[in-house]
Amino acid sequence: MTERKVTFMTAINEAMAQSMRKDESVILIGTDVAGGAEVDHLVQDDGRYDDAFGGVFGLSKGLVTEFGRRRVIDTPIAEHGYFSAAVGAAATGLRPIAELMFNDFVGFALDPILNQGAKMRYMFGGKAKIPLTVRTVHGAGAGAAAQHSQTLYGLFGAIPGVKVVVPSNPYDAKGLMLAAIEDDNLVVFSEDKMLYGIKGDVPEDYYTIEIGKANVVREGSDLTIVAIGKMVQVAQEVAERLNPDGVEVEVIDLRTIAPWDQETVIESVKKTGRLIVIDESNPHNNTATDIASVVADKAFDYLDGPIKTVCAPNTPVPFAANLEKAYIPDANKVLHVADEIIEDLKKSHTM
Amino acid sequence: MTERKVTFMTAINEAMAQSMRKDESVILIGTDVAGGAEVDHLVQDDGRYDDAFGGVFGLSKGLVTEFGRRRVIDTPIAEHGYFSAAVGAAATGLRPIAELMFNDFVGFALDPILNQGAKMRYMFGGKAKIPLTVRTVHGAGAGAAAQHSQTLYGLFGAIPGVKVVVPSNPYDAKGLMLAAIEDDNLVVFSEDKMLYGIKGDVPEDYYTIEIGKANVVREGSDLTIVAIGKMVQVAQEVAERLNPDGVEVEVIDLRTIAPWDQETVIESVKKTGRLIVIDESNPHNNTATDIASVVADKAFDYLDGPIKTVCAPNTPVPFAANLEKAYIPDANKVLHVADEIIEDLKKSHTM
Amino acid sequence: MDQQTALWIYQKMNEIRFFEVEVHHIFGKGLIPGFVHLYAGEEAVATGVMALLDDEDYITSTHRGHGHAIAKGCDIKGMMAEIMGKKDGLGGGKGGSMHVADIDRGMLGANGIVGGGFGLAAGAALTIKTLGQSHVAVCFFGDGASNEGTFHEGLNLASILDLPVIFVCENNQFGEGTPFRYASASETVAERAPAYNMPGVRVDGMDVEAVYEATEKAIKRAKAGEGPTLIECDTYRHFGHFEGDEQKYKTDQDPNRDRDPITEFREKATKNKWMTSEQADEIESNAKKTVEDAVAFAEASPLPDESTLYTDIFA
Amino acid sequence: MDQQTALWIYQKMNEIRFFEVEVHHIFGKGLIPGFVHLYAGEEAVATGVMALLDDEDYITSTHRGHGHAIAKGCDIKGMMAEIMGKKDGLGGGKGGSMHVADIDRGMLGANGIVGGGFGLAAGAALTIKTLGQSHVAVCFFGDGASNEGTFHEGLNLASILDLPVIFVCENNQFGEGTPFRYASASETVAERAPAYNMPGVRVDGMDVEAVYEATEKAIKRAKAGEGPTLIECDTYRHFGHFEGDEQKYKTDQDPNRDRDPITEFREKATKNKWMTSEQADEIESNAKKTVEDAVAFAEASPLPDESTLYTDIFA
Ligand SMILES: Cc1ncc(C[n+]2csc(CCOP(=O)(O)OP(=O)(O)O)c2C)c(N)n1
Ligand SMILES: Cc1ncc(C[n+]2csc(CCOP(=O)(O)OP(=O)(O)O)c2C)c(N)n1
Ligand SMILES: [Mg+2]
Ligand SMILES: [Mg+2]
C-alpha cells in the first residue's frame, strides 16, 4: 500500500463519501453542510451543485456535488428540529449523519439525544434501532471563546445508550467514522477543531476501527498516560521528555470514551502502577474522573502512587490568547502535576 | 425552640415563601407553579388566587395566593423561553426561582444554563450577577419511567459557574433553599421526588445552610461513605447494619455537589482509609467518579483499599416495578459491592 | 365514509374508551406505577385520523398515547401488560404508559417529552421522501405542546422540505392546569400554520367525520409532494390531566365538556346507515371483552426477568 | 427626526463603519483570534433603534454585535481592546467579539448562540414590568435566528405576559451561506407576528428613518403595557458571514447589495437640513479618529494577567 498523507478533515470527508457511496440510506444533515441552497449560480452546467460552505469548516465540501441535495441536506438554524428529525429518520430506515456545528450548541439538540435517540430501544423493549451518527466539534485553541470552544463529549458519554468516539489522528478519524456510520446505535463522533489541519497516513480503502477499543500508541513500563483526542499529542510529548531520564511511559489513546476500554487501561496500570489521565474537559464529572474512579477500584492493589487527572480548569474558555493557552492542558502542566510521581520514578531508576 | 415536623415539600415551600416575603425581587416562574391562570372561579372573593396545581407535585401550593400572579408566574410549556427569561431577569435585577418540572427536561432548558447564565459573569469580565435558583426534580422510584426519573445533577455539576445543591432531608432543604435564593449565582437545587413525603424537624425561622459544606451525619473510624440526597438514607442503613460487626462507618451527606466539600471528605478518608460513594446517577462521569478521582489523588497515601462507587447501572430507568427497584442503589447493593472491604474490616476488628 | 370504515372507527373508539376506563380503575387500585394520562373523550381524533393510515404509515404520539396506540393497531393485551409493567408488555414492561410503542406498526412511541414528536415525525417523513415511499407520518400533539419551540422548528423544517407529514393538534383546552387561552398568544393553533406556509384547518374534534375528512385532504396533499398540513381538533378530556388531578381548573363553560364523541358517532353512524344499532351493540360488547381479556392477560403476565434491566441498550 | 438625533445617528453609523473596516484590516493581519462577524452595511438598524433608547433600556445582541454595542454607547476603546483580547477590554479580554457586553449600559451581551437573545430580552422586560419601571428591552436577531424554536418561545412568552420588549430582526437574507428564502417557510419574518398576536412590521432596514419610526411606535406600545412588537428590517451585510468567508452564495440580484445606509442617510439628512455637509464631514473624521484612537489604545493594552483565568466565575 502506498503511503498517502491527508488531513484529519479530509479523512472524515472521505469516510462520509465512502459510506454514502456504499449505502443509499446514509444522509448528511446539518446547517450549511452544503450551503447556498436555492442559489441559482451554484448549480453547475451538469446540474450538480457547488457548495457555498461545505460545512462551516469546509469539512463536508464536495459531498453535495456528488450526492445531491436529497442526501446532503442544509437545515434552518434549528438544532432541535433537525436532530429530532435525524432520530426519527434513523428509527425508520435511514442512517443519518447529523452535524452539530459546535458541541457548545448541545443545549438546543440535547433532548433528541438524551431522551429519544438514546432511550427508544430500551423503552421499546429492544424493538428499535437508531443508527445515527452525530458529528460535532469540541476544543479550545482557536480563540473562539466561551460558547464555541467547550469540550463536552463527557456530557454525551454520561448518557446510557450513547457511544462516544474521539479520534486523535487522521487514520483513526476515518476508520472510526466508518465504524460509527455502520453502527446501529447513536454514536457521537466528537472532533477537536485544532486537529483539522494535521496530516497523517490514511489508506484510500474503506476500513473500520472497532468502537470501544483503546490504542496503545507507545509502550512503557513505568507510567501509564491515558489521553483523549488532541491530548494524545500532549501525552506523547510528555513521554518524549521523560525518556532521557529513563522513565518509560505507556501512552494510551482512548479513542472511544463511551464505552471506554477498561481492559486495556487496567492491564496497563497493572503493569506500570502509575496513572495520569489527560482530558481537556472541565475537571468535574468527566471521562478523566471516570477512568480514575474505575482504576482506583479495580486496579487499586497495583497502584504505586496517586492517580493524577490533568484537565482544563473549572472555568469557561477565556478568549484572550494567553489565557486560552493557559486553559488548555499541555506537557508542562502534566509534568508539573505529576512531579511527585516523576521524582519517585526517577529515584527508583537511579536506585 | 419547639420541635416541628414538616415534610420535605413543605420545607421548600416555606423557604420560598419566606424569601419572597423578605425580598420583593424574588419571583417564582414555571409551568403550573400556580396553575389555572385566567380561570375565573379560581379568583377568590378577596381577589386573591387559588392555585389549580401549585406545581405538579403541589409543592408551591399557596404561593400564588400570597404573592399573586405578578410574582408567581405560570408559563407556557416552553422551557427554553422561560429559563432564558429567568436568566435575563436575573441579570437585570430580579432574583428568580425557575422550576424545571423534571430534570429530564433539561434538553429544552440547557442553553440558558450552560451558555448564558453560567458564563455571563466570566465572559463579561466580572460585570454580571446571575442570582438565579433553578429548582428541579430527579430520581427514580416513582414508576415514572425513562423520561421522568433520571438523576442528572451531575450534568449541571460539570458546568463551571453553576452551583448544585442536593438536599437529603427537610431541614437541609429549607436552609439550602434559602441559601440558594440568597446566592448571587446560578444555583441548581435538585430535589429527589422520593423524599417529598418524608418528615423532619424544621425550625419556623429563616435560616441558611452554607452552600459547599458537607455534613458529617454519623461519625466513624473504619469506613467513609459519602452519599448524595436520598442515598444518605442508604448510607445510614449500611452503617446500622455494619454496626453489630463492630464496623464504624462515617456517613457524609454531601449536600452540595458543586462545588463539593473536598476538605471534609478528604479529612474523613484520612481517618478511615476507606471510601464508598453512593450516587443514584448513571455510573459514568458523575459526582461519585469525581469524588473517587479526587480522593485517589489527594488522599492516596491514606487509602487502605479500593474506592467503591455505587451508582445506578448504565441503563435508562426502567418502568416495571421490580426492574426499577433493582435499578436504584440500596443497602444490599452497597454491602455487596463492598463485601471485600467489609471482610477486611471485620477481619481487622476480630484480630 | 363507508360502512367498513365506520365499523372500524366505532370499534376502535370503544376499545379506547373501555381501555381508559379500565386503566382508571386499575390505577385507582394501585396496580399501575407512575403517571398515567387518559385519552377518554378524545377518541374521535385518533380514530378519525387512523382510519386512513396503514401499518406502513408512521405516527408519533404523546404522554396521552393509549388512544393513538390502539387506533394504530397496537396489540391491546401487550399495551395493558406494558402499562402494568409486565413481561409481556409491548416493551417488555420497560417503557410503561408514557412509552408505549410498536415500530412494526408504525407507532413510534408515546412520548414523555411534550413537543418531542414534531421532529421525530418530520424525520419519519424524511425517510419516506428520501426512500421514495408513498406513506405519510402523523404527529399528534397537544395545545400545550404548540408553545414549545419544537413546534416551530418541526413545522418549519417539514414545510421547507415538503415532507409528507401531518401535524394533528388535540386541543383539549388545557396543558395540565393551564388554559390554552392563557398560554398561547394565538387564539387557535391552526392560525399559526401560515407562518409555515402550510394549510391550517380547525375542525370539531368531537366529530370523527370532520377529523376524517380533514385528514383525507392532508394525506392527499402529502402524497402529492405538496408538504405538510396542520389540523387542529377541538376536543376535551373526560378525566384529569393525569390520574390524581383534582381538575380545579375545569369550568362548566368549557365548550366540549358535556359532549361524548362516541355517543355522537353512534348516533350519526346509525342515522347514516353506516352501522346498525345491533352492530353498534355488538361492537361495544366485543370491545369491552377485548379490554377485559387484556386486563386478565396483563394480570397473569409475570414481572419482567430482572436480567432485562441490563438488556436492550445497544443493538 | 430632530437635528440632534440625526447628528447622533450619523456619528454612530460612522463609528460603526470605521470600527468594522478597521477590525476587518486588523483581523487580516492576524491580530484577532477566533471568529469575527462584521456589522458593516447594517448600521441603519442599530442606530435607528438605539437613537430612541437610554442607558436604562436593555438590549440583547447577536454574534454580529459590534454595531449594537457601539450604538448602545459602549466604550469603543474597551470594545476594540476586548476584540483583541486585551486586559482593558470591556470584559477584561475574556469574552472577545462574540461576547462584548456592558450591563451598566443595558447591553446584555453579544451572543454566540443564534437565537440566544429572545428569552434574555423577555427576561429583562420581565424585570422592568415586575419592578414597575418604564424602560424597554430590545432583542436584535437575524433572519436565520427566526427559525430557532427560541424565537417561538420568546415571542409567545413576551406576548402573553404583555412584556415591554421589541424584537428587531435584521434580515440580511442569509444565515451563514443559507438563504432566508430557503430556510424559512414564511416569506418574511414579520408575517409570523400574528401567530403571537403582536404587530409585525417590515421596514427598509437601509433607511434609518424607517427603522426609527417603527421603533418609536413599538416603544410607545411597550410602555403603554400593550406588549411586544416585531420589526423586520431588510438589510445586507457588506462583508462575509465571518471573516474568511468566500461569499459564494451572494448574487448580483440581492436587493440591497449596492446600497449603503450611511451615504443614503447623509443625503437625506443634508437634504432635510438635519445636518450640514460640514457637520457630516466633521462627524466622519471624528469617527475615524475615535476608531483610530481605539486601535492605538487596544494595541497598547497588555494581555490580561494570567491569574484572571480563574476569576469572575462566581459573584
Ligand atoms: C418538555 C416537557 N415539559 C413539561 C412536561 C410536563 N407535562 C406533561 S403533560 C403536560 C401538559 C401537556 O399539555 P398538552 O400538550 O395540551 O397535552 P394534553 O395533556 O392536554 O393532552 C406537561 C406540562 C413534559 N412532560 N415535557
Ligand atoms: C445555536 C447556534 N446554531 C448555529 C450557530 C452557527 N451560526 C453562527 S451565526 C449563524 C448564522 C446566523 O444567521 P442570522 O441569524 O441570519 O444572522 P446573521 O449572521 O445573518 O447576522 C450560524 C448558523 C450558532 N452560533 N448558534
Ligand atoms: Mg392540552
Ligand atoms: Mg442573516
Side-chain angles (χ1 to χ4, degrees):
Chain A
M1 214 191 298
T2 57
E3 278 199 10
R4 194 181 63 121
K5 295 230 183 270
V6 306
T7 64
F8 194 84
M9 280 225 282
T10 303
I12 297 169
N13 179 296
E14 192 169 284
M16 292 197 287
Q18 289 183 356
S19 71
M20 290 179 84
R21 265 170 229 142
K22 192 175 160 219
D23 182 347
E24 274 285 326
S25 70
V26 177
I27 62 162
L28 173 64
I29 185 165
T31 310
D32 283 291
V33 288
E38 293 182 10
V39 175
D40 290 342
H41 68 256
L42 291 174
V43 184
Q44 304 168 339
D45 292 342
D46 59 3
R48 299 199 302 169
Y49 299 93
D50 196 3
D51 35 30
F53 264 69
V56 79
F57 292 98
L59 188 148
S60 46
K61 268 217 161 74
L63 297 180
V64 76
T65 310
E66 179 170 356
F67 301 103
R69 292 204 173 270
R70 196 177 56 92
R71 293 178 66 198
V72 178
I73 303 171
D74 279 336
T75 64
I77 313 175
E79 287 79 6
H80 176 91
Y82 74 83
F83 266 87
S84 70
V87 171
T92 54
L94 294 185
R95 199 170 272 282
I97 306 165
E99 176 181 296
L100 185 62
M101 195 186 287
F102 290 83
N103 70 173
D104 312 69
F105 308 160
V106 61
F108 289 174
L110 184 58
D111 191 76
I113 297 172
L114 174 70
N115 283 322
Q116 317 295 342
K119 293 187 173 45
M120 280 165 84
R121 184 175 178 79
Y122 191 82
M123 298 188 301
F124 301 174
K127 286 180 201 136
K129 271 195 291 195
I130 312 291
L132 167 63
T133 302
V134 175
R135 271 195 51 234
T136 193
V137 178
H138 67 265
Q147 295 173 340
H148 286 71
S149 307
Q150 294 169 80
T151 296
L152 298 173
Y153 45 67
L155 185 160
F156 296 114
I159 305 171
V162 176
K163 298 184 183 180
V164 184
V165 165
V166 187
S168 72
N169 63 66
Y171 177 86
D172 287 6
K174 178 169 172 182
L176 287 166
M177 175 53 82
L178 285 167
I181 300 171
E182 275 189 9
D183 201 292
D184 276 339
N185 302 289
L186 201 166
V187 181
V188 173
F189 187 92
S190 196
E191 306 160 11
D192 193 312
K193 60 175 86 68
M194 301 311 287
L195 294 177
Y196 275 162
I198 65 157
K199 286 196 171 187
D201 293 336
V202 177
E204 252 181 288
D205 305 349
Y206 184 108
Y207 63 95
T208 59
I209 293 177
E210 190 181 341
I211 293 178
K213 277 271 167 242
N215 188 18
V216 180
V217 291
R218 178 185 182 115
E219 293 195 13
S221 50
D222 295 330
L223 164 63
T224 301
I225 302 187
V226 175
I228 301 169
K230 182 175 64 188
M231 293 297 114
V232 174
Q233 295 173 0
V234 175
Q236 299 265 34
E237 186 186 334
V238 170
E240 286 300 325
R241 284 168 62 177
L242 290 177
N243 201 252
D245 293 314
V247 178
E248 303 276 342
V249 178
E250 176 140 312
V251 176
I252 298 179
D253 177 348
L254 202 58
R255 278 184 173 164
T256 301
I257 68 139
W260 60 272
D261 186 349
Q262 298 198 4
E263 201 183 312
T264 299
V265 173
I266 289 173
E267 278 316 303
S268 176
V269 174
K270 283 186 176 172
K271 179 173 68 177
T272 65
R274 307 269 181 180
L275 175 64
I276 297 176
V277 189
I278 320 179
D279 179 356
E280 191 181 299
S281 307
N282 292 117
H284 297 297
N285 312 354
N286 63 19
T287 307
T289 68
D290 202 45
I291 294 173
S293 153
V294 168
V295 169
D297 177 3
K298 300 195 181 163
F300 180 80
D301 292 337
Y302 299 86
L303 283 171
D304 296 325
I307 299 172
K308 297 285 175 186
T309 57
V310 185
C311 302
N314 199 28
T315 74
V317 182
F319 172 68
N322 63 330
L323 300 185
E324 190 185 29
K325 190 166 177 309
Y327 174 93
I328 304 170
D330 62 13
N332 287 337
K333 242 165 286 173
V334 177
L335 291 167
H336 177 74
V337 165
D339 61 350
E340 280 174 43
I341 298 182
I342 292 157
E343 281 316 307
D344 275 8
L345 284 170
K346 282 189 192 161
K347 256 182 249 157
S348 71
H349 279 282
T350 49
M351 278 194 308
Chain B
M1 210 191 303
T2 57
E3 278 197 10
R4 195 182 61 119
K5 296 229 182 273
V6 306
T7 64
F8 193 85
M9 282 225 282
T10 303
I12 297 169
N13 179 296
E14 193 168 282
M16 293 196 286
Q18 288 183 357
S19 71
M20 290 180 85
R21 267 171 227 141
K22 194 177 160 214
D23 182 346
E24 274 285 327
S25 70
V26 178
I27 62 162
L28 173 64
I29 185 166
T31 310
D32 284 290
V33 289
E38 294 182 12
V39 175
D40 290 342
H41 69 257
L42 292 174
V43 184
Q44 303 168 340
D45 292 342
D46 58 4
R48 300 200 302 169
Y49 300 92
D50 195 2
D51 35 30
F53 265 69
V56 78
F57 292 99
L59 188 148
S60 47
K61 268 216 160 75
L63 297 179
V64 76
T65 310
E66 180 170 356
F67 302 102
R69 292 203 172 271
R70 197 177 55 90
R71 293 178 64 199
V72 177
I73 303 170
D74 279 334
T75 64
I77 312 174
E79 287 79 8
H80 176 90
Y82 75 83
F83 266 88
S84 69
V87 171
T92 54
L94 294 186
R95 201 169 270 283
I97 307 166
E99 176 181 297
L100 185 62
M101 195 184 287
F102 290 84
N103 70 172
D104 313 69
F105 308 159
V106 62
F108 290 175
L110 183 59
D111 191 75
I113 297 172
L114 173 71
N115 282 321
Q116 316 295 341
K119 294 188 172 43
M120 281 166 84
R121 184 175 178 79
Y122 191 82
M123 297 188 301
F124 301 173
K127 287 180 201 137
K129 272 195 291 196
I130 312 292
L132 168 63
T133 302
V134 174
R135 272 194 51 234
T136 194
V137 178
H138 67 264
Q147 295 173 340
H148 285 71
S149 306
Q150 293 167 83
T151 295
L152 298 173
Y153 44 67
L155 185 160
F156 297 115
I159 305 172
V162 176
K163 299 185 183 181
V164 184
V165 165
V166 186
S168 72
N169 62 66
Y171 177 86
D172 287 6
K174 179 172 173 182
L176 287 167
M177 175 51 81
L178 285 167
I181 300 170
E182 274 189 10
D183 200 291
D184 276 339
N185 302 288
L186 200 167
V187 181
V188 174
F189 186 93
S190 196
E191 306 159 12
D192 193 313
K193 60 176 87 66
M194 301 311 288
L195 294 176
Y196 276 161
I198 66 156
K199 287 195 168 188
D201 292 337
V202 177
E204 252 180 291
D205 305 349
Y206 184 108
Y207 63 96
T208 59
I209 293 177
E210 190 182 342
I211 292 177
K213 278 269 166 244
N215 188 18
V216 180
V217 292
R218 178 186 183 114
E219 293 195 13
S221 50
D222 295 329
L223 163 64
T224 300
I225 302 186
V226 175
I228 301 169
K230 181 175 64 186
M231 292 298 113
V232 174
Q233 297 174 359
V234 174
Q236 298 266 35
E237 187 186 333
V238 170
E240 286 300 325
R241 283 169 62 176
L242 290 176
N243 201 253
D245 293 314
V247 178
E248 303 276 341
V249 178
E250 178 141 309
V251 176
I252 299 179
D253 177 348
L254 201 60
R255 277 184 173 163
T256 301
I257 66 138
W260 60 271
D261 186 348
Q262 298 198 4
E263 202 182 311
T264 300
V265 172
I266 289 171
E267 278 316 305
S268 177
V269 173
K270 284 186 177 172
K271 179 172 69 176
T272 64
R274 309 269 179 177
L275 175 64
I276 298 174
V277 189
I278 320 179
D279 179 355
E280 191 181 301
S281 308
N282 291 118
H284 297 298
N285 312 354
N286 63 20
T287 306
T289 68
D290 202 45
I291 294 172
S293 154
V294 169
V295 169
D297 176 3
K298 300 195 181 163
F300 180 80
D301 292 339
Y302 299 86
L303 282 171
D304 296 325
I307 300 173
K308 297 287 175 185
T309 57
V310 185
C311 302
N314 198 27
T315 73
V317 181
F319 171 69
N322 62 328
L323 300 185
E324 190 184 30
K325 188 165 179 310
Y327 174 94
I328 305 169
D330 63 13
N332 288 337
K333 243 166 286 173
V334 177
L335 291 169
H336 177 72
V337 165
D339 60 351
E340 279 174 42
I341 300 182
I342 291 156
E343 280 316 306
D344 275 9
L345 284 170
K346 282 189 192 164
K347 257 182 247 153
S348 71
H349 279 283
T350 49
M351 278 192 312
Chain C
M1 185 172 305
D2 61 21
Q3 280 193 6
Q4 209 188 327
T5 306
L7 293 173
W8 182 91
I9 286 175
Y10 197 65
Q11 181 198 327
K12 288 295 160 191
M13 286 183 114
N14 275 281
E15 285 174 1
I16 296 171
R17 177 64 57 86
F18 284 116
F19 190 92
E20 295 298 62
V21 171
E22 201 54 53
V23 170
H24 177 74
H25 288 310
I26 302 175
F27 188 91
K29 287 193 243 163
L31 296 178
I32 298 177
F35 299 113
V36 169
H37 309 82
L38 300 181
Y39 193 73
E42 308 188 3
E43 292 86 351
V45 185
T47 57
V49 171
M50 243 70 84
L52 290 148
L53 303 189
D54 293 329
D55 275 2
E56 285 72 31
D57 297 311
Y58 295 106
I59 67 164
T60 62
S61 171
T62 68
H63 56 287
R64 199 175 302 290
H66 306 169
H68 308 135
I70 291 175
K72 193 68 174 67
C74 293
D75 178 56
I76 294 181
K77 288 184 171 140
M79 282 182 59
M80 191 62 87
E82 185 61 33
I83 290 168
M84 292 174 70
K86 298 300 190 70
K87 178 184 174 147
D88 298 301
L90 285 181
K94 289 162 83 168
S97 167
M98 274 195 285
H99 309 294
V100 166
D102 190 346
I103 290 206
D104 294 337
R105 302 224 163 236
M107 163 58 176
L108 299 177
N111 207 319
I113 301 299
V114 170
F118 299 108
L120 295 177
L126 183 62
T127 298
I128 293 167
K129 191 186 164 193
T130 307
L131 301 183
Q133 302 165 342
S134 72
H135 317 307
V136 298
V138 177
C139 167
F140 291 94
F141 67 102
D143 51 287
S146 70
N147 296 311
E148 285 280 13
T150 58
F151 168 87
H152 186 66
E153 298 191 12
L155 270 69
N156 187 60
L157 185 70
S159 179
I160 69 158
L161 299 179
D162 290 326
L163 298 179
V165 53
I166 304 163
F167 297 100
V168 177
C169 179
E170 302 177 310
N171 188 337
N172 59 15
Q173 305 180 48
F174 296 98
E176 293 187 356
T178 297
F180 173 69
R181 67 173 180 282
Y182 166 79
S184 171
S186 68
E187 251 178 79
T188 66
V189 176
E191 75 194 60
R192 287 181 165 169
Y196 311 104
N197 189 30
M198 67 174 80
V201 294
R202 190 159 167 239
V203 301
D204 179 357
M206 300 308 246
D207 175 358
V208 194
E209 206 184 358
V211 175
Y212 182 90
E213 282 166 4
T215 307
E216 208 167 19
K217 269 194 217 139
I219 291 177
K220 201 172 284 171
R221 184 176 140 85
K223 292 196 173 171
E226 291 162 15
T229 300
L230 171 59
I231 302 173
E232 176 178 10
C233 305
D234 266 325
T235 181
Y236 202 73
R237 56 172 153 72
H238 285 181
F239 292 103
H241 167 63
F242 45 35
E243 288 305 273
D245 172 7
E246 290 175 68
Q247 309 182 53
K248 283 162 73 176
Y249 48 86
K250 283 188 172 176
T251 76
D252 293 340
Q253 285 86 53
D254 294 349
N256 293 317
R257 179 157 194 166
D258 300 319
R259 293 176 65 188
D260 184 335
I262 303 187
T263 355
E264 287 188 23
F265 186 63
R266 183 181 163 131
E267 263 169 45
K268 184 189 269 193
T270 47
K271 211 176 91 195
N272 288 357
K273 302 264 176 343
W274 297 334
M275 174 171 79
T276 65
S277 279
E278 291 69 39
Q279 284 176 312
D281 291 344
E282 200 191 321
I283 285 174
E284 286 169 27
S285 66
N286 283 347
K288 188 153 181 285
K289 175 89 178 27
T290 302
V291 172
E292 283 165 2
D293 288 352
V295 174
F297 172 84
E299 283 180 339
S301 175
L303 289 172
D305 195 282
E306 215 174 288
S307 67
T308 64
L309 170 58
Y310 305 99
T311 59
D312 305 322
I313 310 288
F314 291 119
Chain D
M1 184 172 307
D2 62 22
Q3 281 192 4
Q4 207 188 327
T5 305
L7 292 172
W8 182 91
I9 286 175
Y10 197 65
Q11 180 197 329
K12 288 295 161 190
M13 285 182 117
N14 275 281
E15 287 173 1
I16 296 171
R17 177 65 57 86
F18 284 116
F19 190 91
E20 295 299 62
V21 170
E22 203 52 56
V23 170
H24 176 72
H25 288 312
I26 303 175
F27 188 91
K29 288 194 242 162
L31 296 178
I32 298 176
F35 299 113
V36 169
H37 309 81
L38 300 181
Y39 194 74
E42 309 188 2
E43 292 88 350
V45 184
T47 57
V49 171
M50 244 70 84
L52 289 149
L53 303 190
D54 294 329
D55 275 3
E56 286 72 32
D57 297 311
Y58 295 106
I59 67 163
T60 62
S61 171
T62 67
H63 56 288
R64 198 175 302 290
H66 305 169
H68 308 134
I70 291 175
K72 193 68 177 63
C74 293
D75 178 56
I76 293 180
K77 288 184 171 137
M79 279 182 60
M80 191 64 87
E82 185 61 31
I83 290 167
M84 291 175 70
K86 297 299 190 71
K87 178 184 175 145
D88 298 301
L90 285 182
K94 290 162 82 167
S97 167
M98 273 195 284
H99 309 295
V100 166
D102 190 347
I103 290 207
D104 293 340
R105 303 223 164 239
M107 163 59 176
L108 298 179
N111 207 318
I113 301 299
V114 169
F118 299 108
L120 295 176
L126 184 63
T127 298
I128 294 168
K129 191 186 165 191
T130 307
L131 301 182
Q133 302 164 343
S134 73
H135 317 307
V136 298
V138 177
C139 167
F140 290 94
F141 67 102
D143 50 287
S146 70
N147 295 312
E148 285 279 16
T150 59
F151 168 88
H152 186 67
E153 298 191 13
L155 271 70
N156 187 61
L157 185 70
S159 179
I160 69 157
L161 299 178
D162 289 326
L163 298 178
V165 54
I166 303 163
F167 298 100
V168 177
C169 180
E170 302 177 310
N171 188 339
N172 59 12
Q173 304 179 49
F174 296 99
E176 294 187 353
T178 296
F180 174 69
R181 67 173 182 283
Y182 166 79
S184 172
S186 67
E187 252 178 77
T188 67
V189 176
E191 75 193 59
R192 285 180 167 169
Y196 311 105
N197 190 30
M198 67 174 78
V201 294
R202 190 158 168 237
V203 302
D204 179 356
M206 300 309 247
D207 176 358
V208 193
E209 204 184 3
V211 175
Y212 183 89
E213 283 167 4
T215 307
E216 208 167 22
K217 268 196 216 139
I219 293 177
K220 200 171 284 170
R221 183 177 142 84
K223 292 196 174 171
E226 290 162 15
T229 300
L230 171 60
I231 302 174
E232 176 178 8
C233 306
D234 266 326
T235 183
Y236 202 72
R237 55 172 154 72
H238 285 182
F239 292 104
H241 167 62
F242 45 35
E243 289 304 272
D245 172 7
E246 290 175 69
Q247 309 182 52
K248 283 162 72 175
Y249 48 85
K250 283 189 171 175
T251 76
D252 294 340
Q253 284 85 54
D254 294 349
N256 293 317
R257 178 156 195 165
D258 300 319
R259 293 178 64 188
D260 184 336
I262 303 187
T263 352
E264 287 188 24
F265 186 62
R266 184 181 161 129
E267 266 171 42
K268 184 188 267 191
T270 47
K271 210 175 92 196
N272 288 357
K273 303 263 181 332
W274 296 335
M275 172 170 83
T276 64
S277 278
E278 293 69 37
Q279 285 176 312
D281 290 343
E282 199 191 323
I283 285 175
E284 286 170 26
S285 66
N286 285 347
K288 190 153 181 284
K289 175 91 178 30
T290 303
V291 171
E292 283 165 2
D293 290 351
V295 173
F297 173 84
E299 282 179 339
S301 175
L303 288 172
D305 195 281
E306 214 174 288
S307 67
T308 64
L309 170 59
Y310 306 98
T311 59
D312 305 322
I313 310 288
F314 290 119

